[in-house]
Structure formats: structure tokens, C-alpha cells
Amino acid sequence: MMLLDILAPRSVAILGASDSPIKAGGRPIDYMRRFGFKGDIYPVNPHRRQIQGMPSYRQLTDLPAQPDIVIVSVASQDVVQAIDDSIAVGARAAVIYSSGFAELGAAGQKQQQELVERARAGGLRLFGPNTQGIANFRDGAVLHFSTMINENPPSDGPVAIVSQSGAGSAIIYGGLRRAGIGVRYMVATGNEADISAAEVVRAVVEDESIRAVLLYIEAMRNADALAEAACIAHARDIPILAVKAGRTRAGQLTASSHTGSLAGEDALTDAFFRQHGIVRLADFHELIEYSALFSSPYRPKGRKVVSISNSGATCVLAADAAEDHGLSLCEFSPSTISALKQVLPSYVTARNPIDMTTALLGQPEIYGKTLETLAQQQQADMIHIGFPIGGEGYDFSDFSVQTGSFMEHSGIPVTVSTNQDWVSNTFRVQNVPVFGSERSAMRGLALLENYVEMRDALRKEPGGIAPKKQNISAAAITLDEPSSLAALAAAHLPVVQHILCRSEADVRNAIAQMEGPLVAKGVSKNLAHKSEHKLVRLGIHTESEAIRAFNDFMAILNQLSVENGGMLLARQHHGDFELAIGAHLDPDYGPIVMVGQGGVLVEVLKDVQFLIAPFTERQAYDALLRLRIAPAFGEVRGMPAVNLHRITAMLTSLGDWMMHAQGAICSVDANPVIVARGDIDPVIVDAVVMGTGVPA
Amino acid sequence: MMLLDILAPRSVAILGASDSPIKAGGRPIDYMRRFGFKGDIYPVNPHRRQIQGMPSYRQLTDLPAQPDIVIVSVASQDVVQAIDDSIAVGARAAVIYSSGFAELGAAGQKQQQELVERARAGGLRLFGPNTQGIANFRDGAVLHFSTMINENPPSDGPVAIVSQSGAGSAIIYGGLRRAGIGVRYMVATGNEADISAAEVVRAVVEDESIRAVLLYIEAMRNADALAEAACIAHARDIPILAVKAGRTRAGQLTASSHTGSLAGEDALTDAFFRQHGIVRLADFHELIEYSALFSSPYRPKGRKVVSISNSGATCVLAADAAEDHGLSLCEFSPSTISALKQVLPSYVTARNPIDMTTALLGQPEIYGKTLETLAQQQQADMIHIGFPIGGEGYDFSDFSVQTGSFMEHSGIPVTVSTNQDWVSNTFRVQNVPVFGSERSAMRGLALLENYVEMRDALRKEPGGIAPKKQNISAAAITLDEPSSLAALAAAHLPVVQHILCRSEADVRNAIAQMEGPLVAKGVSKNLAHKSEHKLVRLGIHTESEAIRAFNDFMAILNQLSVENGGMLLARQHHGDFELAIGAHLDPDYGPIVMVGQGGVLVEVLKDVQFLIAPFTERQAYDALLRLRIAPAFGEVRGMPAVNLHRITAMLTSLGDWMMHAQGAICSVDANPVIVARGDIDPVIVDAVVMGTGVPA
């Protein structure tokens, strides 16, 4: 059975049903009856014949018909039996409210694993344990016990809430309902023993009525399902807004005791969301704040924004915010200026932002005419309206109706910022997205435009295969420098010209083939720190210099009693930048490629970007531009720019190699990579490769 | 008369008084009568005998007594007469509502200047023009025409609002009153022809009842008055929270048409606020959001924070936020853990953050006991409480009373984050600062601790003399490299050892005195780009190399027909970093010192920090640590750290030199400055000085 069907049950049994509508085992019964559930409700409680006026059953096996879903609201030690009974009666899924599993540590984790194994064997899907439940408000199927549903009665709508945290699902739900936004799904996945948040997102984007998905997670499980969900969502223009908590070390420690999650490296989550066009937000507050805008059908066609306000200060703050968020507060064209002059009184200047001062007092028609003029003149891809202050003489009901109908016929998104609730509410009832500050209203428009750009790029060049977990072998070996360089060269990466010499004859032969200056390095499998042992010599030009280095290095290597020593002769490169590139396997996201400022300062500068394989050339290019050092890559004082495409080619080759190795390469660490200005390939001059499936 | 006294008038005349209480000339009359003004109100209107039931006067000179303040609410062309009349009747100040002055451009600026000159000559202080007015709610002296006062009736309190924008003053006022916070002063300074916002802040910090000042400006005028205000404010522990809009190019253009302000470089505003312990915020929303916390008397004694919530997700988000904002979410000591175990039920783990899960349901006493334990164990310099969700069984009235009394007897600041208005309100009535998200609640605590640290540093080592406007001479000349280096050396800056040679004999003499390698540069007053003309030669060791360079350079200089050519011989330095340092005179802030990543990439990397002279050694040190390159200055891979004190000494010398020159040095541009690891002085190897009072 598809998960989307499971979210629309026709019959629900409640194990541990309560007669009290304010207890966890009683609330869903009360909610389903009050909020229009048309299916069958089967309370199960061995001690009662009636629950909330309905017949109650002693045990699951007594039910007159098969339930689609079983709510499990019993003590943790009784959950195994509940699972077995649910399987016995042919239920499709169980929603396990009970806590006391993975969130308590290793013992709980083991008990949880047992639940999963029994459920899998019996074909039963599980929500939770440790979940507040799931709800489908279209059908009144409210299998969720939050008090928030009581406080803010449901209304079906275009938003799906998917949250690992039960309180999180209710916080988002409450915020949306208070803002008048309708919600169809509210799913809390809890410990995610079986069904993950990613899988639920994958399901709800198939519902054609959904216009936005709000996601809260503390750990990334099933990144592949989320990638697939994002792909479907982009085709249907359904934005996924996501909060991934546990970003910091402190947050990760806390998450592990909350939902038993071990959170990964946060920069990878950033990379994953970016590559799959998922809009990352900071917290519940932001999910609620931006939901009206993203669930509306209007989308900008570019970055041009016009701001209009009745306050000059708001115009200044809006202009600051537009520039901060990379929007273009463009100057009006001469024809726009003359068209606006027809509309605006003489004391209002036709400039962007438009400071209306008192022009709208008692003259609401100026408002609509201004919007129309901007649309006709194609001066605005999006519009911000600031009404920070309203009082006598302002007809906000009229402004809000005009705004709603303007968006509808122009398709141009509008955000409004206000400070007074009564003003906000007049706009909200017309489905105009309202914000509490110019900054958030402007940021909303910028986030929306960023989403549209990601969506369009991914529609053209889809994220491709989802990242898969790779088998990380414990038996990986570390290759020495010559083998590492050879492996990278075989993978089509630009490595320095080099020859490994094991005899004086090798050295003579090598010198004959290479142009100086050269670098000589004493190498061996068992030796990590060459420079500490005086095994590096620069500026070698002649055969005699090379032979001398060889004999010196061999003497040192003999003294160190290392195996299989030799000397690597390589071209000595000079460039304008030292980068570092690398790759590793991540348990959540699979093969990862890294690029950043290299050299000895690599760890302290922390100027790195990550790419999750597979990635596109364009994504690699954008990653380079996000480096802090990036502005230096361009033309500076007459020096030519770096050809970044040669660097992106190296990164995509590395990504491809990692993908094709299917886990046989564990890590690559190449530093420095010498990069020169002009149309010149980068050169990897030092590298260490670890793996199981590379030639040693 | 002191400005603080002007803000407490005993009699007010209204020129352009209106019978209608909803017109600008009528509102203050209505407000003063309704909100308890005990002084005399004199409506003036040539066309009416009665205004709002009070006797009205034909002209100012008809009044029975001298008014302290005259409100001027007349057409712009009548303002000059109003000023003259106000002077004639002996008023202390005029509040000019009328617009149509500097905000309209050059002509309006000139008319505005005329007002100021007449007022100054007659001893009359001016608010505005283009202001919505001033208010002192302690006295009911509401000389402000915003409708917001009607919508949110005043209540005297610990906050002063000072805003260049009239709407801004009302937006802040409305937000504070809706949050239940009392306001004493609301002053809008408008075009600031005479009285600036800085001057008003300087005045209100003398009022002993004021606990926080909220400031909105679009231009920095009278930075010296604001610096003085900050100094007084720190002594009295009055935080100044400031928004300076027009941060961006777009915002600055917009500000110039709003209040006629030309905004300066925003990084300097950042530096000014930082050096004077003023808390910079982004917008009105944030001013309102953080006012309850900052106007409360509780201050943290360190960065240790404990977070407590009834939601695990909030614990995770709070932990993330704490780390983001540099707070220490410390682990509990063993004794704290055992003390907490006495208080908490077994299923609540005694770890930070404390996830209460359902422990507080029906047991409000656990809440207070937990707070007490944390205070007794000295585990918390500040506490965050997250109640993102509340329902049946939670006694928030009790929690809020317990929180208020806990703060009162422990002195520990507490912030609460909630998502439901009814929960927020129970805390607000107990004067507990409430926020809409964990992030803002945690950020508030971090901002408060940052303020305390700035305050304490400035109490110990005060900001000193306020920055003064320096006379920037138009007749400044640019010194050539030898003169520039000589000037900097005389100012005790570490410049490269160098000798200017005008003859072969000079060259021989120089070579005898200096150790190689040397760099030779052909120099002349009229020549900017040495390297383009092949006038730079590196690695000179011998007399013959130096003589050859001299002759080659002289030939080139002759060909270029430049005056007064010569050759500079200098030691060639190698280091680990290239910095740039500089100085200039800013019209708002006076002498500015800059330090940043130098070399050819200086303009593209934009990794610079500014210091406003005078500044302390500590401030210079902190500026260096704010550079993006800063982490590289420490010990890396066994290489020693850079001795930053040698760099700060150079910066303070440069600042001192600029101060003492009193405008005679216009700018200094030294790049590169060679910095090496270890305890070694930096070396300025190239510099250009511009000025009027330096030896040419």
C-alpha cells in the first residue's frame, strides 16, 4: 500500500483508548468525531465496554472488521504485542505514541529494532515510536493527540507539515492556523523506526492539492527519498521548506537524546538542500513566517523588486534589505516615471522605493493605479508594500482587496509588512502574505526567487541519481604518494608530471624526460611526514643534483628502516593560488567532494565548500564562487582571471571517480593543488588516497 | 536651557491649531488634555476664537504668557514668520511639523538653513522641520501628532524613543505599548536642522528613570554628542539600542530623499557603535523585540546559559542558537546533576538543555525548584525558557510569577520563547522578556552579555575624547614614496630601512650601509605606477647591481620627463602575510584607521576593519581578530604565532599621529605591510601619504 493511501485511512483502531478526550488515548477519538472523519473508529480497551459513548473492544482481534491503521497508546513493554496483534488483524500501519525506545539509548534502540523486524516481517508500516501522531484534515482523520488542534480548529488547505518532532508538528500547525492558513497533513515521525520524514515528504508531494511542504528534522534519514521527493516537487512547483536542527555541536548532542538521532556534518546538509532545491530555514518561526508566500501560486520572473510605503523610514529599511538579499531595486525607466506621474500627486517622487507619504490618505485608488502602472511597465518581478503605520484615513480593506486581485491577474508576488495586527489581518483574509518587518518581507521575496532559480535549474538538469549509502570498508589501506598520484591521474585528474625512481638508473632516465626545476621527495608507504625527515628538496635542475638527492634520501630511509623506499621526481610548479581538493564517503549522503583554500593554512582558514556526488558542472562552478577567496579569481589589476572551468572539470572527474568506485575509494586528500591565472590546468602536486579497490 | 528641561515644557502654544482632534494641528491639543498635561495650552489660529472648547489666539504675540514651546503646524512658507514670532515671545524651542525643506533638495536645504540662522540668533532651539513632534508621557506633554498614541494609550515607563523618522518614533512606540512596556520620551527629530537625535540621547540619559534608549537614525550627526551620551549611559547602565538605516548603497540613496541625510560609510558606523558600546540592531522590529530585556535591571555575569523547555525540539534549536551566538551551554557539574536529580522526576535527564518533557504538567513547583537549583549551583549566568506549546495541565500563571520573583532575588536574566499569545501574555504581565523564537530569545541574552562586556570595558577604559570633525583641506598634496616613508617613520611606525639616492655616490654610500637582498625603485613625485614603467628591481646584493639599476632607472625617468627623479634602495623583506594599513579623515567621525589583508588583492578580498581614533590597544587587537584571515595568525602546524601586539602598536601610533595632526594629514595608504610569524615587528615597505602639514 502506498504511503499516501496510508495517510487516508478508512478505519482506525485505538489501542489504549481512553474515555477522557484530554488523554492521549482519547483525543484522536474526540478529534475524529468532531472534525468529520467518515470512516470507522474502533476504541480498544480491555477494561471498558464503552468509550466516549462508542462501543469499545477488549482486544484488536475482537473488531468486527479490519482496521487500516492502529494507534498504539500503551506502555512501552506492551508495544510488541500490539504490533503482533496489528499484523494479525491485517492493519496496514501502526502509529506508536508510546515512548521509551531509541531516545533512551542502546537498550531502547535494540527494543525498537525488534519492533521494526516484526513489523517488516508482517507487512506492517510503523509511525514512531515516540510520535504524537499523524493527521489528514481533508478527511478528519486526526490520529494526533496535540492539544494545539483543540486550540486552533483545523481547516483543510494546501500545506503539508512533516516533522520528526511531535511538538514541532503542533507548533507549525498552530502558527499556520493562527495565520489563517489551511493544513492538509500533519505528520510527526518521532523516532522513525520505520517511516522517515523523507519518505512522508515523498508521499505528500504526490497529492495534487499540496502547494508547499514544511519539514522539520533532526537527522537526515533516507536522503535518497527526499531527493526523489524534491524532483517530483519541482515538476509540480511545490516548494519544500526545511529546518534541519542540530546544526551545531551543542545542537547535535541535544538531538541525540531527543529523537535518538545522530546528526551528521551540517555543511553537507546545506549542500544537499542546495543541490536538490530545498529551501533551508532556521526554525519553526521561519517555517510559519514564509509559508503563506511559498504556498501561494505567484512566482517572480526575475530579481527586480519595487517597494512602496507610506513611511520614508520603511523605504530606507526596505532598500537596505533588498540590497542585503541580492534583489535589484531598479531605477524606473523614463516611460515608467512619466506613467507614474499621471497617477501620483506632485509631492510624491516617482522613484524606487515609492515613498507615498500621505498620498494614500483618503485616496485608495492611487494604490491600485500605482500597482497597475508597475505591472504594465514591466518594472517589477515582485513588489513589497510597507504599511508600518496605519490610522484614520487609510482604507486597508480596500488596499487588501486591490492587492489580492492585482496578484491574481498579474501573477506578480507581493509581500506586505505591517506592525499592527488589525492591518495585517485585513491583508491575510485576502491571502496576501504578511510579515512583521520590511526585512522579512524582502527576504521572503528573495527566498522565493532563489527557489524559482533552483527549481528551473533542476528542471533543466535534474539532480540525477539520488545519493546512496556506500559500503565503507574497514579494511581500507592508505596509498603512498606515487600510487595516490597515479590513481588520480588514471581518474583523469591533472596531476603533476612525476616519476618514481628506485635506482640511480631510474633517476638518470627520469631527468632525461623532464624539464626543470624539479622537486625530489623521499617516499615510502610507511612514512607520513616527509618534510620532518628532510626528505624534500626543491629547485633540482641537473642530473648530479638529482643523484645526490637520491643517495641522501636512501640513506635517511635506510636509517628510518622503512620498507620499499624510493624517490619521487616531479615538476616544480608555481601558481597564484593553492587550493585543496578532497573526497570522502558520508554515511547519510554517499560520496562527497570538497574544494577550498589549500596549503598549510587549510584547517585554520576553513574556506571550503562541499558537493554531494553526483553534481553538475554548474553546481561545482557555483561552489567555487561561494569560496571566500573567490573574488580573487577574477581579473585583478590587469592580471588575467583563473579559468574556473578547468577547476570544475577536476571536481566533476573526482566526483565521477568516487561514484564509479562504489565505496572502494574511501577518501582523497589532494593539497596543494596549484592554480595559476589564465587558461591553464590546475596541478595536483601532493595527494593521499585511501581505499580498498585502488592499485596499491 | 538644557535640552532635558525643554522636553518638560510647562506651557505649549500651537501655531496652526485645529478644532479637529484628528488633524496635525489638533491632535496634540487633544492628547495633552486627555493624557494629563498640567501646563498651559495656547491654541493659535487667526480664524477662530475657540479651538476644541478652549480660547484660541489670533497670533503668538497675543498670548497671556510666554510659552515654553511653540508647535509650528503651518505651510512651509509661513515657517520663517513663525520662528520670528516664537523668538519675539521668548519661547525656548519650536517643534516644526511643516515639511518642504531639506528633504526636497538644494532649494529646501537653503530655506532650512535660514530657519536655523534666525533661530540661533534668537536663542530658539528647533525640532524638525518635517517632524511628527516630541512627547513626554510622564507629564502628558504630547506635542506629537501620530495616530498611534490614540491607538495605544500612553503609560509612563523606563524607555526613551529617539528617532529621526516621525513614523519610526510611532512604530517603536506602538510596538512597545502593545508589549505592555512604558515609554517616557518619544522624540522625532525629522530633518534635524538644529537638534539632532544624538543630542536628544545625550539629554535623556540624564533622566534617572530612563533604563533604555531606543534610537533610529538615517544619518550620523553629532557623533561627539552620542559618544558623550554613551559614556554617561554606561556609568548608569542605560543600554542604547540603535538602528542606523541607509546601510547599503540603495538605502543611502533612499535616505537622502527621506530626511535629506547623506549617509556615510556603514562600516564606520559599525566601528563607532562598537567602540562606544552602543548595541546595533537591524530594524524597528528588533528595537521593539529586545527592549523589555534591555530595560530590565538584570544583567548576566558571564556567558554560561542554561536552557529549559517542555519540547525536545526547542532544546535542540536552543542549543544551536546558543552556539551560534557564542554562549556557553555548559555541562552541569556532578554536584548540580545530583541536586537536579532531587528535583526532577527520573525520566528527565539532568543535562543542559533540560528537556522537561511532561514533567511540568500539573506540577508547577518543579519549575521553580529547578531555577533555584541552577542559581544555588551557580551554573547559569542567564536562563532561556522555551514554552513553544502549552495546553491543559500547564499552569503558566504560576510559572510566570515564579520567573519574575526568581529574576528579582537572583538577579539572573531570563528570556522566554513562546508561540501562543496567551502564554506570552502571562509572562509579559510579570515583566518577563518574551520572544517569538528560541533563536531571538537566545540572541537577546547574547546581545545583553555583549553589552555588559562593552560597558565594563568602557567603564575601565572610557572611549576618551569624542571624535571631532577635522578640517579637511582641499589643498592637500601627495607625498612621494621616500617622503611618505620618512613621515611614517617620524610618526614611530615601523618602515623598511631605505635610502634615497640621487647620484652614483649616494648609491655606493647606501650599499655600504645596508644588508642585502635589497629592492631598488625609481621614484618621483609625479609618478604613480612604478612597476608599469619597469622601475622596480628585486634581489640586489652588490654595488654593481645597484649602480646598474640606478643608471637604467635614471634613463627611464628622463624619458618620462618626470621631475626630481631618484632611486630608493630598501631592504627586501619576506614574511608570512601581507597586510595593508591606512588612515583617512571622515566628515562624521574624524580620523579613521584601517587594517586588512593587503597586497594586490586588497580591493577584491575586502577583508578590512576600521577603527575610529582615538581607540584603545584592546580595540585595535579585537579589530585584528575580526579579520577573516585572523585564524591564520595563530600557531599553525608548529609555526609560531604572529605577535599581534606589534601590529596593534603600529595601528595606535597611526591613530595618534592622525589625531595630533588635527586634519593636516588627509590620508595614509601603506600596502604591503610585511608581517612575519614570531616576535618580529611588521615592516611597511610601500606607502603614500597625503596632507597639508607634512614635510614634502
Side-chain angles (χ1 to χ4, degrees), chain A residues 616-630:
Chain A
T616 64
E617 176 107 20
R618 167 69 188 270
Q619 286 167 336
Y621 192 87
D622 289 346
L624 290 174
L625 293 186
R626 282 194 303 275
L627 290 174
R628 294 198 310 268
I629 190 75

Side-chain angles (χ1 to χ4, degrees), chain A residues 27 147 151 165 170-171 178 246-248 250-251 258 283 286 312-313 316 320 323-324 388-389 392 419-420 422 439, chain B residues 27 147 151 170-171 178 246-248 250-251 258 283 286 312-313 316 320 323-324 388-389 392 419-420 422 439:
Chain A
R27 279 218 191 90
T147 57
E151 195 173 317
S165 156
I171 293 164
R178 283 189 290 275
R247 290 178 294 103
T248 62
H258 177 220
D283 57 16
E286 289 193 352
V316 180
D320 279 341
E323 190 163 317
D324 284 344
I389 204 157
E392 294 103 345
N419 294 67
Q420 290 151 288
W422 61 274
R439 273 197 317 147
Chain B
R27 279 216 192 91
T147 56
E151 195 173 318
I171 293 165
R178 282 189 290 275
R247 288 179 295 104
T248 62
H258 177 219
D283 58 16
E286 290 193 351
V316 181
D320 279 341
E323 190 163 317
D324 284 344
I389 204 156
E392 294 103 346
N419 294 68
Q420 290 153 289
W422 62 273
R439 273 195 320 146

Side-chain angles (χ1 to χ4, degrees), chain A residues 22-328:
Chain A
I22 67 164
K23 291 200 170 166
R27 279 218 191 90
I29 299 171
D30 178 50
Y31 287 158
M32 285 190 278
R33 296 175 74 189
R34 277 164 55 207
F35 299 131
F37 182 57
K38 301 269 191 291
D40 297 313
I41 303 173
Y42 302 118
V44 180
N45 186 323
H47 310 297
R48 300 187 78 100
R49 308 291 291 271
Q50 280 222 329
I51 296 270
Q52 299 185 35
M54 302 178 72
S56 171
Y57 303 85
R58 292 178 58 85
Q59 49 191 18
L60 261 187
T61 44
D62 293 348
L63 302 197
Q66 167 200 323
D68 280 348
I69 299 196
V70 178
I71 294 175
V72 179
S73 180
V74 299
S76 59
Q77 66 270 23
D78 298 331
V79 175
V80 170
Q81 185 62 49
I83 298 300
D84 289 345
D85 289 354
S86 299
I87 294 167
V89 299
R92 270 84 186 243
V95 178
I96 308 171
Y97 289 177
S98 321
S99 57
F101 293 90
E103 80 278 14
L104 296 188
Q109 175 68 49
K110 206 179 144 209
Q111 285 170 8
Q112 182 169 308
Q113 194 49 39
E114 196 192 330
L115 298 187
V116 180
E117 278 159 20
R118 284 173 182 249
R120 290 232 166 108
L124 183 81
R125 300 302 310 268
L126 302 181
F127 291 96
N130 194 20
T131 173
Q132 290 191 14
I134 65 175
N136 171 338
F137 295 111
R138 176 194 59 204
D139 304 339
V142 187
L143 292 71
H144 197 293
F145 66 81
S146 174
T147 57
M148 200 60 97
I149 302 166
N150 229 355
E151 195 173 317
N152 304 279
S155 172
D156 187 25
V159 178
I161 299 165
V162 183
S163 169
Q164 216 181 317
S165 156
S169 68
I171 293 164
I172 303 167
Y173 169 86
L176 295 186
R177 294 299 304 123
R178 283 189 290 275
I181 298 167
V183 175
R184 173 155 301 176
Y185 300 106
M186 162 161 70
V187 178
T189 51
N191 286 8
E192 303 193 337
D194 173 25
I195 297 172
S196 65
E199 226 185 318
V200 178
V201 176
R202 170 70 187 75
V204 297
V205 293
E206 297 279 10
D207 181 331
E208 302 215 334
S209 301
I210 291 301
R211 304 309 323 146
V213 178
L214 309 185
L215 174 65
Y216 172 86
I217 51 175
E218 292 176 6
M220 176 62 74
R221 292 194 180 94
N222 300 117
D224 48 353
L226 192 53
E228 207 181 311
C231 189
I232 299 165
H234 289 136
R236 301 187 165 189
D237 191 22
I238 305 172
I240 301 172
L241 310 185
V243 171
K244 161 76 178 63
R247 290 178 294 103
T248 62
R249 200 191 56 87
Q252 286 169 11
L253 284 174
T254 307
S256 70
S257 63
H258 177 220
T259 45
S261 308
L262 272 178
E265 172 65 56
D266 195 61
L268 300 185
T269 306
D270 261 347
F272 177 78
F273 285 167
R274 191 185 297 120
Q275 287 181 219
H276 292 281
I278 295 170
V279 180
R280 187 172 193 176
L281 297 176
D283 57 16
F284 298 125
H285 183 78
E286 289 193 352
L287 283 177
I288 296 162
E289 192 172 24
Y290 295 109
S291 57
L293 178 62
F294 276 87
S295 63
S296 84
Y298 315 116
R299 299 288 181 252
K301 292 192 171 62
R303 306 192 80 83
K304 294 201 304 283
V305 66
V306 174
S307 183
I308 303 171
S309 179
N310 63 342
S311 150
T314 286
C315 288
V316 180
L317 290 166
D320 279 341
E323 190 163 317
D324 284 344
H325 291 108
L327 297 179
S328 162

Side-chain angles (χ1 to χ4, degrees), chain B residues 591-661:
Chain B
I592 307 296
V593 168
M594 182 279 287
V595 60
Q597 282 196 64
V600 291
L601 297 177
V602 62
E603 290 98 353
V604 289
L605 290 182
K606 294 194 175 75
D607 183 16
V608 297
Q609 287 289 322
F610 295 95
L611 291 154
I612 299 173
F615 51 88
T616 64
E617 176 108 19
R618 168 68 188 269
Q619 287 167 336
Y621 192 87
D622 289 346
L624 290 174
L625 292 187
R626 282 194 302 274
L627 290 174
R628 294 199 309 269
I629 190 76
F633 294 151
E635 266 190 48
V636 179
R637 295 197 180 181
M639 298 182 291
V642 173
N643 183 341
L644 295 182
H645 293 289
R646 290 180 180 269
I647 305 178
T648 59
M650 175 175 64
L651 298 175
T652 49
S653 295
L654 182 55
D656 288 346
W657 191 46
M658 291 293 290
M659 291 285 289
H660 293 140

Side-chain angles (χ1 to χ4, degrees), chain A residues 576-577 632-643 676-680:
Chain A
D576 298 291
F577 301 96
F633 294 150
E635 267 190 47
V636 179
R637 294 196 182 180
M639 297 181 291
V642 173
N643 183 343
R677 294 180 179 279
D679 193 17
I680 296 166

Side-chain angles (χ1 to χ4, degrees), chain A residues 324-337:
Chain A
D324 284 344
H325 291 108
L327 297 179
S328 162
L329 197 80
C330 53
E331 279 181 41
F332 291 142
S333 67
S335 95
T336 305
I337 292 172

